[in-house]
Short mmCIF file of all heavy atoms in Angstrom, two decimals:
data_model
loop_
_atom_site.label_atom_id
_atom_site.label_comp_id
_atom_site.label_asym_id
_atom_site.label_seq_id
_atom_site.Cartn_x
_atom_site.Cartn_y
_atom_site.Cartn_z
N ARG A 12 107.97 111.31 118.29
CA ARG A 12 107.07 112.35 117.92
C ARG A 12 106.16 112.86 119.06
O ARG A 12 105.87 114.03 119.24
CB ARG A 12 106.01 111.84 116.74
CG ARG A 12 105.18 112.90 116.15
CD ARG A 12 104.48 112.26 115.01
NE ARG A 12 103.74 111.10 115.35
CZ ARG A 12 102.52 111.07 115.61
NH1 ARG A 12 101.78 112.24 115.60
NH2 ARG A 12 101.87 110.00 115.83
N LEU A 49 111.36 125.26 115.53
CA LEU A 49 112.15 125.33 114.35
C LEU A 49 111.82 124.29 113.19
O LEU A 49 111.98 124.70 112.01
CB LEU A 49 113.67 125.05 114.77
CG LEU A 49 114.71 125.86 114.09
CD1 LEU A 49 114.50 127.37 114.36
CD2 LEU A 49 116.07 125.52 114.80
N ALA A 50 111.30 123.23 113.67
CA ALA A 50 111.03 122.21 112.66
C ALA A 50 110.05 122.64 111.59
O ALA A 50 110.00 122.09 110.50
CB ALA A 50 110.47 120.98 113.40
N TRP A 51 109.20 123.56 112.04
CA TRP A 51 108.16 123.95 111.06
C TRP A 51 108.53 124.99 110.19
O TRP A 51 107.75 125.48 109.30
CB TRP A 51 106.82 124.34 111.73
CG TRP A 51 106.20 123.10 112.35
CD1 TRP A 51 106.06 122.76 113.69
CD2 TRP A 51 105.50 121.99 111.72
NE1 TRP A 51 105.49 121.56 113.78
CE2 TRP A 51 105.07 121.13 112.55
CE3 TRP A 51 105.27 121.91 110.33
CZ2 TRP A 51 104.42 120.00 112.11
CZ3 TRP A 51 104.56 120.76 109.85
CH2 TRP A 51 104.17 119.71 110.78
N THR A 52 109.74 125.64 110.34
CA THR A 52 110.12 126.67 109.53
C THR A 52 110.90 126.21 108.29
O THR A 52 111.13 127.00 107.36
CB THR A 52 110.91 127.61 110.41
OG1 THR A 52 112.17 126.96 110.70
CG2 THR A 52 110.34 128.16 111.58
N THR A 53 111.44 124.97 108.30
CA THR A 53 112.19 124.65 107.28
C THR A 53 112.00 123.16 106.78
O THR A 53 111.44 122.36 107.64
CB THR A 53 113.74 124.66 107.57
OG1 THR A 53 114.51 124.15 106.66
CG2 THR A 53 114.05 123.99 108.93
N SER A 54 112.15 122.74 105.58
CA SER A 54 112.03 121.47 105.16
C SER A 54 113.19 120.58 105.18
O SER A 54 113.21 119.43 104.80
CB SER A 54 111.41 121.39 103.81
OG SER A 54 112.35 121.69 102.80
N ALA A 55 114.42 121.20 105.60
CA ALA A 55 115.50 120.42 105.81
C ALA A 55 115.43 119.51 106.96
O ALA A 55 114.73 119.76 107.95
CB ALA A 55 116.77 121.38 105.99
N MET A 56 116.23 118.46 107.00
CA MET A 56 116.14 117.50 108.21
C MET A 56 117.29 117.80 109.16
O MET A 56 117.00 117.62 110.45
CB MET A 56 116.31 116.05 107.72
CG MET A 56 115.05 115.60 106.94
SD MET A 56 115.06 113.79 106.84
CE MET A 56 113.40 113.54 106.28
N LEU A 58 119.33 120.21 111.36
CA LEU A 58 119.35 121.56 112.02
C LEU A 58 120.45 121.69 112.92
O LEU A 58 120.65 120.87 113.80
CB LEU A 58 118.10 121.73 112.81
CG LEU A 58 116.73 121.49 112.09
CD1 LEU A 58 115.60 121.44 113.18
CD2 LEU A 58 116.41 122.44 111.01
N TYR A 72 118.50 116.40 114.17
CA TYR A 72 118.15 115.91 112.93
C TYR A 72 116.75 115.48 113.07
O TYR A 72 116.44 114.52 113.81
CB TYR A 72 119.05 114.73 112.56
CG TYR A 72 118.93 114.18 111.07
CD1 TYR A 72 119.66 114.64 110.04
CD2 TYR A 72 118.00 113.15 110.90
CE1 TYR A 72 119.51 114.21 108.77
CE2 TYR A 72 117.84 112.71 109.64
CZ TYR A 72 118.61 113.11 108.62
OH TYR A 72 118.51 112.62 107.32
N VAL A 73 115.78 116.06 112.28
CA VAL A 73 114.39 115.75 112.44
C VAL A 73 113.92 114.86 111.29
O VAL A 73 114.19 115.19 110.10
CB VAL A 73 113.49 117.02 112.37
CG1 VAL A 73 112.10 116.64 112.66
CG2 VAL A 73 113.92 117.95 113.50
N THR A 74 113.45 113.65 111.52
CA THR A 74 112.98 112.77 110.44
C THR A 74 111.57 113.17 109.93
O THR A 74 110.88 114.02 110.51
CB THR A 74 113.01 111.37 110.85
OG1 THR A 74 111.85 111.17 111.80
CG2 THR A 74 114.27 111.00 111.57
N ALA A 75 111.23 112.50 108.85
CA ALA A 75 109.86 112.74 108.28
C ALA A 75 108.73 112.51 109.29
O ALA A 75 107.77 113.22 109.21
CB ALA A 75 109.67 111.84 107.01
N GLY A 76 109.00 111.56 110.17
CA GLY A 76 107.82 111.38 111.14
C GLY A 76 108.04 112.12 112.35
O GLY A 76 107.49 111.76 113.53
N HIS A 77 108.77 113.17 112.28
CA HIS A 77 109.03 114.13 113.38
C HIS A 77 109.68 113.34 114.58
O HIS A 77 109.43 113.71 115.77
CB HIS A 77 107.72 114.84 113.89
CG HIS A 77 107.50 116.03 113.03
ND1 HIS A 77 107.84 117.24 113.28
CD2 HIS A 77 106.87 116.04 111.83
CE1 HIS A 77 107.49 118.09 112.32
NE2 HIS A 77 106.90 117.29 111.52
N THR A 78 110.50 112.32 114.37
CA THR A 78 111.35 111.81 115.37
C THR A 78 112.69 112.53 115.39
O THR A 78 113.24 112.89 114.38
CB THR A 78 111.72 110.32 115.13
OG1 THR A 78 110.47 109.62 114.92
CG2 THR A 78 112.47 109.67 116.15
N GLN A 97 122.95 110.90 109.40
CA GLN A 97 122.36 110.13 108.24
C GLN A 97 122.51 108.70 108.35
O GLN A 97 121.46 107.92 108.13
CB GLN A 97 122.96 110.56 106.92
CG GLN A 97 122.41 111.92 106.39
CD GLN A 97 123.25 112.56 105.37
OE1 GLN A 97 124.41 112.11 105.06
NE2 GLN A 97 122.65 113.41 104.69
N HIS A 100 119.87 107.63 110.89
CA HIS A 100 118.63 107.70 110.35
C HIS A 100 118.30 106.34 109.57
O HIS A 100 117.24 105.87 109.78
CB HIS A 100 118.47 108.91 109.51
CG HIS A 100 117.11 109.23 108.81
ND1 HIS A 100 116.87 109.83 107.64
CD2 HIS A 100 115.90 108.82 109.27
CE1 HIS A 100 115.58 109.86 107.38
NE2 HIS A 100 114.99 109.30 108.31
N GLU A 101 119.16 105.88 108.87
CA GLU A 101 118.92 104.71 108.12
C GLU A 101 118.69 103.54 109.02
O GLU A 101 117.76 102.74 108.74
CB GLU A 101 120.10 104.40 107.21
CG GLU A 101 120.25 105.38 106.02
CD GLU A 101 120.86 104.72 104.82
OE1 GLU A 101 121.12 103.54 104.78
OE2 GLU A 101 121.28 105.51 103.85
N LEU A 102 119.47 103.53 110.12
CA LEU A 102 119.28 102.35 111.00
C LEU A 102 118.00 102.61 111.64
O LEU A 102 117.16 101.58 111.90
CB LEU A 102 120.45 102.41 112.19
CG LEU A 102 121.69 101.86 111.87
CD1 LEU A 102 122.64 102.08 112.99
CD2 LEU A 102 121.59 100.32 111.58
N TYR A 103 117.60 103.82 111.98
CA TYR A 103 116.27 104.02 112.60
C TYR A 103 115.13 103.53 111.72
O TYR A 103 114.20 103.01 112.26
CB TYR A 103 116.08 105.54 112.97
CG TYR A 103 114.73 105.82 113.33
CD1 TYR A 103 114.29 105.53 114.67
CD2 TYR A 103 113.86 106.57 112.55
CE1 TYR A 103 113.01 105.72 115.06
CE2 TYR A 103 112.51 106.87 112.99
CZ TYR A 103 112.11 106.52 114.21
OH TYR A 103 110.83 106.78 114.62
N ILE A 104 115.12 103.82 110.38
CA ILE A 104 114.20 103.51 109.53
C ILE A 104 113.90 101.97 109.58
O ILE A 104 112.90 101.41 109.58
CB ILE A 104 114.40 103.93 108.12
CG1 ILE A 104 114.30 105.35 108.03
CG2 ILE A 104 113.38 103.38 107.15
CD1 ILE A 104 114.59 105.96 106.70
N LYS A 105 115.10 101.30 109.52
CA LYS A 105 114.97 99.76 109.55
C LYS A 105 114.33 99.24 110.79
O LYS A 105 113.57 98.40 110.92
CB LYS A 105 116.46 99.15 109.49
CG LYS A 105 117.01 99.30 108.03
CD LYS A 105 118.41 98.86 107.90
CE LYS A 105 119.19 99.66 106.86
NZ LYS A 105 120.57 99.43 106.87
N VAL A 106 114.84 99.76 111.99
CA VAL A 106 114.18 99.45 113.27
C VAL A 106 112.72 99.83 113.38
O VAL A 106 111.95 99.09 113.95
CB VAL A 106 115.01 100.10 114.46
CG1 VAL A 106 114.27 99.72 115.80
CG2 VAL A 106 116.40 99.53 114.38
N ASN A 107 112.35 100.89 112.77
CA ASN A 107 111.05 101.40 112.77
C ASN A 107 110.01 100.32 112.16
O ASN A 107 108.90 100.36 112.57
CB ASN A 107 110.91 102.71 111.96
CG ASN A 107 109.71 103.54 112.36
OD1 ASN A 107 109.28 103.50 113.54
ND2 ASN A 107 109.08 104.14 111.32
N PHE A 108 110.48 99.58 111.25
CA PHE A 108 109.54 98.55 110.73
C PHE A 108 109.20 97.55 111.67
O PHE A 108 108.20 96.78 111.52
CB PHE A 108 110.25 97.85 109.53
CG PHE A 108 110.18 98.70 108.34
CD1 PHE A 108 111.04 99.58 107.82
CD2 PHE A 108 109.07 98.51 107.42
CE1 PHE A 108 111.01 100.25 106.69
CE2 PHE A 108 108.90 99.23 106.24
CZ PHE A 108 109.77 100.09 105.89
N LEU A 109 110.03 97.37 112.77
CA LEU A 109 109.67 96.28 113.72
C LEU A 109 108.65 96.83 114.69
O LEU A 109 107.72 96.06 114.86
CB LEU A 109 110.98 96.00 114.56
CG LEU A 109 112.10 95.45 113.57
CD1 LEU A 109 113.34 95.24 114.52
CD2 LEU A 109 111.70 94.24 112.83
N GLN A 110 108.90 98.01 115.27
CA GLN A 110 108.00 98.54 116.24
C GLN A 110 107.98 100.04 116.21
O GLN A 110 108.97 100.64 116.15
CB GLN A 110 108.46 98.09 117.64
CG GLN A 110 107.83 96.91 118.27
CD GLN A 110 106.37 97.11 118.56
OE1 GLN A 110 105.76 98.05 118.11
NE2 GLN A 110 105.96 96.11 119.28
N LEU A 111 106.75 100.58 116.14
CA LEU A 111 106.59 102.01 115.97
C LEU A 111 106.78 102.71 117.39
O LEU A 111 106.00 102.36 118.26
CB LEU A 111 105.24 102.42 115.41
CG LEU A 111 105.02 102.17 113.91
CD1 LEU A 111 103.54 102.47 113.60
CD2 LEU A 111 106.04 103.04 113.09
N VAL A 117 117.53 97.42 121.37
CA VAL A 117 118.30 96.36 120.57
C VAL A 117 119.80 96.55 120.81
O VAL A 117 120.28 97.63 120.56
CB VAL A 117 118.03 96.42 119.02
CG1 VAL A 117 118.58 95.50 118.32
CG2 VAL A 117 116.50 96.35 118.87
N VAL A 119 122.31 95.34 119.27
CA VAL A 119 123.03 95.63 117.95
C VAL A 119 122.95 97.13 117.58
O VAL A 119 123.86 97.74 117.12
CB VAL A 119 122.51 94.72 116.87
CG1 VAL A 119 123.14 95.01 115.58
CG2 VAL A 119 122.65 93.39 117.26
N PHE A 120 121.76 97.66 117.74
CA PHE A 120 121.51 98.98 117.43
C PHE A 120 122.51 99.97 118.26
O PHE A 120 123.22 100.80 117.75
CB PHE A 120 120.11 99.32 117.69
CG PHE A 120 119.66 100.80 117.32
CD1 PHE A 120 119.62 101.13 116.03
CD2 PHE A 120 119.24 101.77 118.20
CE1 PHE A 120 119.19 102.32 115.48
CE2 PHE A 120 118.85 103.00 117.78
CZ PHE A 120 118.76 103.26 116.46
N SER A 123 126.04 99.60 117.07
CA SER A 123 126.17 100.26 115.75
C SER A 123 126.39 101.77 116.04
O SER A 123 127.17 102.39 115.41
CB SER A 123 124.98 100.04 114.91
OG SER A 123 124.66 98.74 114.94
N ASN B 12 122.67 90.12 110.10
CA ASN B 12 121.90 91.01 111.05
C ASN B 12 120.94 91.76 110.17
O ASN B 12 121.33 92.44 109.31
CB ASN B 12 122.95 91.82 111.75
CG ASN B 12 122.39 93.10 112.47
OD1 ASN B 12 121.09 93.07 112.75
ND2 ASN B 12 123.21 93.93 112.74
N VAL B 13 119.68 91.92 110.51
CA VAL B 13 118.79 92.59 109.75
C VAL B 13 119.05 94.08 109.57
O VAL B 13 118.76 94.76 108.58
CB VAL B 13 117.29 92.43 110.26
CG1 VAL B 13 117.11 93.20 111.64
CG2 VAL B 13 116.29 92.92 109.33
N LEU B 14 119.79 94.55 110.54
CA LEU B 14 120.13 96.06 110.45
C LEU B 14 121.22 96.34 109.38
O LEU B 14 121.47 97.46 109.09
CB LEU B 14 120.53 96.65 111.79
CG LEU B 14 119.45 96.79 112.87
CD1 LEU B 14 119.95 97.25 114.15
CD2 LEU B 14 118.40 97.73 112.23
N ASP B 15 121.92 95.29 108.94
CA ASP B 15 122.91 95.51 107.93
C ASP B 15 122.37 95.50 106.54
O ASP B 15 123.03 95.97 105.65
CB ASP B 15 123.95 94.41 108.04
CG ASP B 15 124.90 94.50 109.27
OD1 ASP B 15 124.95 95.72 109.73
OD2 ASP B 15 125.48 93.60 109.60
N LYS B 16 121.23 95.06 106.39
CA LYS B 16 120.61 94.96 105.02
C LYS B 16 120.38 96.34 104.42
O LYS B 16 119.92 97.19 105.10
CB LYS B 16 119.23 94.28 105.03
CG LYS B 16 119.29 92.82 104.89
CD LYS B 16 117.93 92.28 105.08
CE LYS B 16 117.70 91.18 104.07
NZ LYS B 16 116.32 90.70 104.27
N PRO B 17 120.73 96.60 103.21
CA PRO B 17 120.63 97.93 102.62
C PRO B 17 119.08 98.29 102.37
O PRO B 17 118.33 97.38 102.20
CB PRO B 17 121.29 97.78 101.31
CG PRO B 17 121.30 96.42 100.93
CD PRO B 17 121.29 95.63 102.24
N LEU B 18 118.84 99.54 102.37
CA LEU B 18 117.45 100.01 102.24
C LEU B 18 117.10 100.29 100.80
O LEU B 18 116.38 101.10 100.39
CB LEU B 18 117.23 101.35 102.82
CG LEU B 18 116.74 101.26 104.37
CD1 LEU B 18 116.63 102.76 104.85
CD2 LEU B 18 115.41 100.61 104.42
N TYR B 61 96.94 102.26 109.35
CA TYR B 61 97.79 103.25 110.02
C TYR B 61 99.18 102.83 110.14
O TYR B 61 100.10 103.58 109.96
CB TYR B 61 97.05 103.56 111.36
CG TYR B 61 97.82 104.69 112.13
CD1 TYR B 61 97.27 105.95 111.96
CD2 TYR B 61 98.83 104.46 113.06
CE1 TYR B 61 97.90 107.06 112.65
CE2 TYR B 61 99.31 105.52 113.67
CZ TYR B 61 98.93 106.72 113.48
OH TYR B 61 99.54 107.83 114.17
N ALA B 62 99.30 101.57 110.63
CA ALA B 62 100.66 100.97 110.70
C ALA B 62 101.50 101.03 109.45
O ALA B 62 102.71 101.38 109.54
CB ALA B 62 100.49 99.53 111.29
N VAL B 63 100.75 100.75 108.31
CA VAL B 63 101.43 100.73 107.12
C VAL B 63 101.95 102.28 106.81
O VAL B 63 102.94 102.53 106.26
CB VAL B 63 100.58 100.34 105.90
CG1 VAL B 63 101.22 100.43 104.60
CG2 VAL B 63 100.24 98.79 106.13
N ALA B 65 102.37 104.88 108.62
CA ALA B 65 103.53 105.48 109.50
C ALA B 65 104.88 104.96 108.94
O ALA B 65 105.81 105.84 108.88
CB ALA B 65 103.30 104.96 110.91
N ARG B 66 105.02 103.71 108.62
CA ARG B 66 106.34 103.26 108.15
C ARG B 66 106.62 103.76 106.77
O ARG B 66 107.76 104.06 106.40
CB ARG B 66 106.37 101.73 108.09
CG ARG B 66 106.34 101.14 109.62
CD ARG B 66 106.05 99.58 109.51
NE ARG B 66 106.07 98.99 110.81
CZ ARG B 66 105.32 98.97 111.70
NH1 ARG B 66 104.01 99.49 111.51
NH2 ARG B 66 105.47 98.39 112.93
N CYS B 67 105.50 103.85 105.92
CA CYS B 67 105.69 104.35 104.57
C CYS B 67 106.29 105.69 104.54
O CYS B 67 107.17 105.98 103.86
CB CYS B 67 104.29 104.46 103.84
SG CYS B 67 104.10 103.26 102.55
N LEU B 68 105.73 106.56 105.40
CA LEU B 68 106.18 107.95 105.41
C LEU B 68 107.69 108.12 105.63
O LEU B 68 108.32 108.72 104.83
CB LEU B 68 105.53 108.68 106.56
CG LEU B 68 106.00 110.09 106.83
CD1 LEU B 68 105.57 111.01 105.72
CD2 LEU B 68 105.32 110.61 108.17
N GLU B 69 108.18 107.46 106.67
CA GLU B 69 109.63 107.43 106.96
C GLU B 69 110.49 106.95 105.69
O GLU B 69 111.43 107.52 105.28
CB GLU B 69 109.91 106.59 108.18
CG GLU B 69 109.49 107.22 109.41
CD GLU B 69 110.51 108.25 109.97
OE1 GLU B 69 111.65 108.38 109.37
OE2 GLU B 69 110.18 108.88 110.99
N LEU B 70 109.99 105.76 105.25
CA LEU B 70 110.84 105.06 104.18
C LEU B 70 110.81 105.90 102.91
O LEU B 70 111.83 106.13 102.21
CB LEU B 70 110.28 103.67 103.87
CG LEU B 70 111.05 102.89 103.00
CD1 LEU B 70 112.42 102.64 103.43
CD2 LEU B 70 110.25 101.63 102.64
N CYS B 72 110.10 109.17 102.37
CA CYS B 72 110.79 110.44 102.50
C CYS B 72 112.24 110.24 102.36
O CYS B 72 112.94 111.06 101.68
CB CYS B 72 110.53 111.19 103.85
SG CYS B 72 109.21 112.40 103.70
N HIS B 73 112.81 109.13 102.90
CA HIS B 73 114.20 108.86 102.80
C HIS B 73 114.60 108.54 101.23
O HIS B 73 115.53 108.99 100.79
CB HIS B 73 114.52 107.78 103.73
CG HIS B 73 115.96 107.28 103.74
ND1 HIS B 73 116.93 108.01 104.25
CD2 HIS B 73 116.50 106.18 103.21
CE1 HIS B 73 118.12 107.32 104.04
NE2 HIS B 73 117.87 106.26 103.37
N ARG B 74 113.81 107.48 100.76
CA ARG B 74 114.14 107.08 99.36
C ARG B 74 113.83 108.03 98.35
O ARG B 74 114.64 108.22 97.47
CB ARG B 74 113.24 105.85 99.21
CG ARG B 74 113.94 104.50 99.28
CD ARG B 74 113.09 103.49 98.77
NE ARG B 74 113.10 102.23 99.35
CZ ARG B 74 112.09 101.26 99.18
NH1 ARG B 74 111.22 101.52 98.49
NH2 ARG B 74 112.34 100.20 99.87
N GLY B 77 114.88 112.40 99.07
CA GLY B 77 116.10 112.90 99.31
C GLY B 77 116.17 113.59 100.68
O GLY B 77 116.81 114.63 100.82
N ASN B 78 115.46 113.10 101.65
CA ASN B 78 115.47 113.72 102.98
C ASN B 78 115.06 115.12 103.15
O ASN B 78 115.72 115.94 103.64
CB ASN B 78 116.98 113.51 103.66
CG ASN B 78 117.10 112.11 104.05
OD1 ASN B 78 116.31 111.38 104.28
ND2 ASN B 78 118.34 111.73 103.95
N ARG B 79 113.97 115.41 102.41
CA ARG B 79 113.29 116.72 102.63
C ARG B 79 112.02 116.48 103.30
O ARG B 79 111.17 115.64 102.87
CB ARG B 79 112.99 117.42 101.31
CG ARG B 79 114.10 117.52 100.37
CD ARG B 79 115.28 118.41 100.88
NE ARG B 79 114.95 119.78 101.05
CZ ARG B 79 115.86 120.68 101.52
NH1 ARG B 79 117.10 120.33 101.77
NH2 ARG B 79 115.44 121.88 101.64
N ARG B 80 111.69 117.15 104.39
CA ARG B 80 110.40 116.98 105.08
C ARG B 80 109.37 117.87 104.51
O ARG B 80 109.72 118.82 103.82
CB ARG B 80 110.53 117.34 106.49
CG ARG B 80 111.30 116.33 107.37
CD ARG B 80 111.33 116.76 108.81
NE ARG B 80 112.05 117.99 108.98
CZ ARG B 80 111.45 119.14 109.39
NH1 ARG B 80 110.23 119.23 109.60
NH2 ARG B 80 112.19 120.29 109.47
N GLU B 81 108.09 117.49 104.68
CA GLU B 81 106.97 118.31 104.18
C GLU B 81 106.46 119.18 105.38
O GLU B 81 106.20 118.59 106.41
CB GLU B 81 105.83 117.54 103.66
CG GLU B 81 106.12 116.78 102.35
CD GLU B 81 106.30 117.83 101.27
OE1 GLU B 81 105.82 118.96 101.41
OE2 GLU B 81 106.89 117.49 100.16
N THR B 82 106.48 120.49 105.11
CA THR B 82 105.94 121.32 106.35
C THR B 82 104.65 122.06 105.90
O THR B 82 104.01 122.56 106.75
CB THR B 82 106.97 122.41 106.65
OG1 THR B 82 107.45 123.01 105.49
CG2 THR B 82 108.20 121.82 107.32
N ARG B 83 104.21 121.86 104.63
CA ARG B 83 103.01 122.63 104.26
C ARG B 83 101.90 121.65 103.99
O ARG B 83 102.24 120.53 103.44
CB ARG B 83 103.36 123.55 103.00
CG ARG B 83 104.39 124.53 103.30
CD ARG B 83 104.21 125.41 104.52
NE ARG B 83 102.92 126.00 104.50
CZ ARG B 83 102.74 127.26 103.99
NH1 ARG B 83 103.71 127.89 103.41
NH2 ARG B 83 101.57 127.80 104.09
N ASP B 154 99.28 111.87 110.03
CA ASP B 154 99.36 111.97 111.50
C ASP B 154 100.79 112.03 111.85
O ASP B 154 101.22 112.92 112.62
CB ASP B 154 98.64 110.85 112.05
CG ASP B 154 98.25 111.05 113.54
OD1 ASP B 154 97.94 112.19 113.77
OD2 ASP B 154 98.12 110.20 114.30
N ASN B 155 101.70 111.21 111.22
CA ASN B 155 103.04 111.11 111.66
C ASN B 155 103.82 112.27 111.12
O ASN B 155 104.88 112.62 111.61
CB ASN B 155 103.67 109.80 111.19
CG ASN B 155 103.34 108.62 112.25
OD1 ASN B 155 103.81 108.53 113.31
ND2 ASN B 155 102.33 107.88 111.80
N ALA B 156 103.38 112.88 110.05
CA ALA B 156 103.94 114.01 109.48
C ALA B 156 103.59 115.28 110.21
O ALA B 156 104.16 116.36 109.97
CB ALA B 156 103.65 114.20 107.87
N GLY B 157 102.72 115.18 111.18
CA GLY B 157 102.33 116.43 111.93
C GLY B 157 101.12 116.99 111.44
O GLY B 157 100.89 118.22 111.83
N PHE B 158 100.24 116.28 110.62
CA PHE B 158 98.98 116.91 110.19
C PHE B 158 97.87 115.89 110.59
O PHE B 158 97.31 115.25 109.81
CB PHE B 158 99.00 117.06 108.67
CG PHE B 158 100.10 117.85 108.11
CD1 PHE B 158 101.35 117.43 107.89
CD2 PHE B 158 99.83 119.20 107.86
CE1 PHE B 158 102.39 118.28 107.39
CE2 PHE B 158 100.76 120.01 107.29
CZ PHE B 158 102.06 119.57 107.07
N ARG B 190 98.04 126.39 112.22
CA ARG B 190 99.42 126.47 111.92
C ARG B 190 99.64 126.91 110.57
O ARG B 190 100.54 127.64 110.22
CB ARG B 190 100.08 125.16 112.21
CG ARG B 190 101.68 125.20 112.23
CD ARG B 190 102.23 123.83 112.46
NE ARG B 190 101.75 122.87 111.47
CZ ARG B 190 101.46 121.54 111.70
NH1 ARG B 190 101.58 121.19 112.93
NH2 ARG B 190 101.07 120.78 110.76
N ARG B 193 99.31 130.58 110.29
CA ARG B 193 100.36 131.23 110.95
C ARG B 193 101.65 131.24 110.03
O ARG B 193 102.38 132.21 109.90
CB ARG B 193 100.72 130.55 112.23
CG ARG B 193 101.39 131.50 113.23
CD ARG B 193 101.46 130.79 114.68
NE ARG B 193 102.34 129.73 114.49
CZ ARG B 193 102.11 128.48 115.09
NH1 ARG B 193 101.04 128.24 115.73
NH2 ARG B 193 103.04 127.47 114.86
N VAL B 194 101.91 130.17 109.47
CA VAL B 194 103.14 130.03 108.60
C VAL B 194 103.00 130.61 107.19
O VAL B 194 103.89 131.31 106.78
CB VAL B 194 103.53 128.47 108.40
CG1 VAL B 194 104.71 128.31 107.62
CG2 VAL B 194 103.82 127.91 109.84
#
Side-chain angles (χ1 to χ4, degrees):
Chain A
R12 188 168 59 93
L49 218 55
W51 289 106
T52 63
T53 169
S54 74
M56 286 194 171
L58 310 170
Y72 186 91
V73 186
T74 70
H77 279 267
T78 302
Q97 278 168 347
H100 185 207
E101 289 205 14
L102 280 177
Y103 170 74
I104 292 180
K105 293 173 200 168
V106 172
N107 199 37
F108 276 92
L109 304 176
Q110 264 293 12
L111 286 177
V117 183
V119 178
F120 188 65
S123 318
Chain B
N12 166 18
V13 69
L14 287 177
D15 285 335
K16 272 175 134 178
L18 268 180
Y61 185 90
V63 175
R66 290 167 173 85
C67 248
L68 170 68
E69 286 275 358
L70 184 64
C72 264
H73 174 76
R74 255 196 217 161
N78 289 329
R79 310 292 298 176
R80 286 180 298 113
E81 287 296 340
T82 49
R83 305 307 304 271
D154 208 25
N155 282 283
F158 298 85
R190 190 180 59 218
R193 206 176 62 223
V194 173

